[in-house]
Amino acid sequence: MADEAAPTKSKEYIRPMPANWWLKKRTYFLFMVRELTCVFVGGYALYLLVLIAQAGNETAFATLVSHPLCVLLQLVALPMVLYHSITWFNLTPKVMVVWRGEERVSPVLIAGSNYVAWLIASAVVAWFVLG
Amino acid sequence: MAKSNEPIWWSLFSAGGVVAAFLIPITLLLTGFAVPFGWITAEGLRELVVNNLLVKLYLFVIISLPLFHWAHRFRYVAVDLGVKGVGGLLAVLCYGAAIVGTVTAAVFLAQL
């Protein structure tokens, strides 16, 4: 057997990790929620793909955009995509450390400017479509 | 040092994260609720998609990059959730799906 043939080779210890480790602490749980927002981000991109596939057909498109199931799915996805936005903006000052001379630009200012830009971008898109 | 593709996937993940964070909530509100609530007619929304080149470009970006965002994050979260031993296959499937989605989006939009 392999173990007997190489007696000096020690066995690698793999620390067991239960699949529910992320339920054990609030911070782990929030991390997992943040990571799982990607499913809703990807899912919404997939929905947009369906939407453009139907855009050539007037009736099919109208049925799709007012279908209760589509509205419901997007209602469920909304808090998750918002959580993605919020966690993403709040992480920006940690990833991007900006110095002005000797002084570090306040993380609150960097995150805050993200939120302002978010509001402006959303308003522009809404105005473009509805205005 | 071994060559790695990681910087490419990470860049796409990051770009997708930015696009998703800034643009998905408002776009979802518009595609999900604007027609049922009567802010715009279904035909009005459809005409924007079909006739406006800027809207097409916007849709391409907001489909493609968030798919790469999903692919990169999902492949790692699957491991965190206990998926073992299929890392290579999972990566191929995730990034592959994002690539297929990108090409499909381009084809659909070009045909409109």
Side-chain angles (χ1 to χ4, degrees):
Chain A
M1 280 203 291
D3 283 345
E4 284 165 318
T8 50
K9 200 184 169 198
S10 61
K11 226 172 154 187
E12 186 189 358
Y13 174 69
I14 299 172
R15 193 165 163 266
M17 185 180 74
N20 66 343
W21 61 270
W22 50 279
L23 287 171
K24 306 214 160 139
K25 246 188 188 176
R26 193 182 129 83
T27 45
Y28 296 168
F29 177 74
L30 290 178
F31 163 81
M32 192 49 83
V33 173
R34 188 192 83 195
E35 296 303 291
L36 286 176
T37 58
C38 78
V39 175
F40 294 85
V41 165
Y44 182 66
L46 198 63
Y47 175 69
L48 286 179
L49 210 51
V50 175
L51 201 78
I52 57 173
Q54 302 295 318
N57 183 319
E58 212 174 300
T59 342
F61 187 84
T63 312
L64 187 72
V65 290
S66 46
H67 197 287
L69 186 67
C70 294
V71 178
L72 183 72
L73 283 173
Q74 286 175 97
L75 192 65
V76 172
L78 183 60
M80 291 301 274
V81 298
L82 285 174
Y83 194 66
H84 165 75
S85 301
I86 291 162
T87 51
W88 195 267
F89 295 145
N90 291 350
L91 271 176
T92 320
K94 292 187 177 120
V95 178
M96 197 177 73
V97 176
V98 184
W99 293 87
R100 193 191 285 128
E102 297 277 294
E103 240 178 307
R104 186 181 165 179
V105 177
S106 156
V108 178
L109 187 70
I110 296 174
S113 54
N114 269 317
Y115 282 99
V116 173
W118 185 29
L119 259 167
I120 294 171
S122 303
V124 168
V125 173
W127 169 81
F128 187 87
V129 174
L130 305 174
Chain B
M1 214 173 89
K3 245 178 114 178
S4 160
N5 292 325
E6 184 70 11
I8 299 168
W9 301 126
W10 193 87
S11 302
L12 286 166
F13 156 78
S14 180
V18 172
V19 166
F22 278 105
L23 299 175
I24 283 188
I26 185 63
T27 311
L28 186 146
L29 282 174
L30 291 169
T31 59
F33 310 107
V35 174
F37 286 163
W39 304 335
I40 190 173
T41 62
E43 191 48 22
L45 191 64
R46 195 186 75 88
E47 273 172 9
L48 264 178
V49 175
V50 176
N51 298 331
N52 196 309
L53 193 65
L54 194 65
V55 173
K56 285 185 193 172
L57 199 66
Y58 176 89
L59 285 168
F60 178 71
V61 170
I62 206 179
I63 290 170
S64 173
L65 289 175
L67 281 177
F68 283 101
H69 173 81
W70 162 79
H72 192 71
R73 208 168 224 187
F74 188 75
R75 87 173 257 223
Y76 288 112
V77 83
V79 175
D80 287 340
L81 284 171
V83 176
K84 273 184 220 133
V86 288
L89 177 69
L90 192 66
V92 171
L93 286 177
C94 286
Y95 299 131
I99 292 167
V100 170
T102 298
V103 173
T104 313
V107 170
F108 283 167
L109 287 166
Q111 282 173 348
L112 283 175

